[in-house]
Amino acid sequence: MRNIALICILILTPLTSSAVVCTLLLSGMAFGIYNSILPSSTDTTSTITVSCIPGGSSLTTNYTLTIAGTGINNDTTRSIVYLGNRLYYQVYKDPSFSTVWGNTAGTGLSSSVTSSGALVAGVKVHNVYSRIQSLQNVSAGLLYSGSLNVTLSY
């Protein structure tokens, strides 16, 4: 009889664990066609979806999202490239394109997500606003590509 009780406790232990489990789902960032002679910027919006299953008694998980570029200086100047041709852009936390979303101190996005139950994931969607500044001297008809590194700390 003691062996059965011990087995039941071991089976239930993972369900009451205090470890929070979070995942990210990222949508693609596509600017479309960039026309270097137009006086207006090229903007796009993508999303980062955070999903957390709480651990312990708290149903709220606090986290910080940071976005590191693979361009020059990461936060201050980001670029996408094709055969040495660079097209500069930036990512922002707000639709007015005034607050850069970065990976250095104070430039990440701090938030929280609340679950409705101990084994139910809380979900929060964050918009990422991206802009290519106008009038960049780049070759037309090229397929520029790059990547960003998104980090979730909780």
Side-chain angles (χ1 to χ4, degrees):
M1 190 66 165
R2 286 186 181 184
N3 288 339
I4 293 174
L6 181 60
I7 290 172
C8 289
I9 290 171
L10 290 175
I11 291 172
L12 294 176
T13 298
L15 298 178
T16 59
S17 172
S18 63
V20 176
V21 176
C22 294
T23 59
L24 292 175
L25 177 63
L26 311 171
S27 69
M29 182 185 305
F31 288 102
I33 297 172
Y34 176 76
N35 188 332
S36 64
I37 62 171
L38 291 179
S40 59
S41 60
T42 302
D43 302 336
T44 190
T45 303
S46 54
T47 60
I48 300 173
T49 302
V50 177
S51 176
C52 294
I53 298 174
S57 60
S58 176
L59 297 179
T60 300
T61 303
N62 297 312
Y63 60 87
T64 301
L65 281 169
T66 58
I67 302 177
T70 55
I72 303 165
N73 300 327
N74 272 333
D75 291 350
T76 56
T77 308
R78 293 182 168 138
S79 65
I80 47 182
V81 66
Y82 180 81
L83 297 177
N85 294 289
R86 289 193 181 276
L87 186 57
Y88 296 96
Y89 72 101
Q90 191 53 273
V91 294
Y92 301 88
K93 296 184 226 181
D94 60 314
S96 62
F97 301 95
S98 61
T99 307
V100 171
W101 193 336
N103 71 326
T104 56
T107 64
L109 181 123
S110 295
S111 190
S112 64
V113 62
T114 301
S115 302
S116 62
L119 297 176
V120 178
V123 177
K124 192 167 214 177
V125 178
H126 299 280
N127 287 327
V128 181
Y129 303 94
S130 306
R131 171 171 280 174
I132 297 175
Q133 292 299 329
S134 62
L135 304 173
Q136 294 186 45
N137 186 17
V138 294
S139 299
L142 301 178
L143 180 61
Y144 292 86
S145 65
S147 63
L148 293 170
N149 299 314
V150 177
T151 302
L152 173 65
S153 303
Y154 56 94

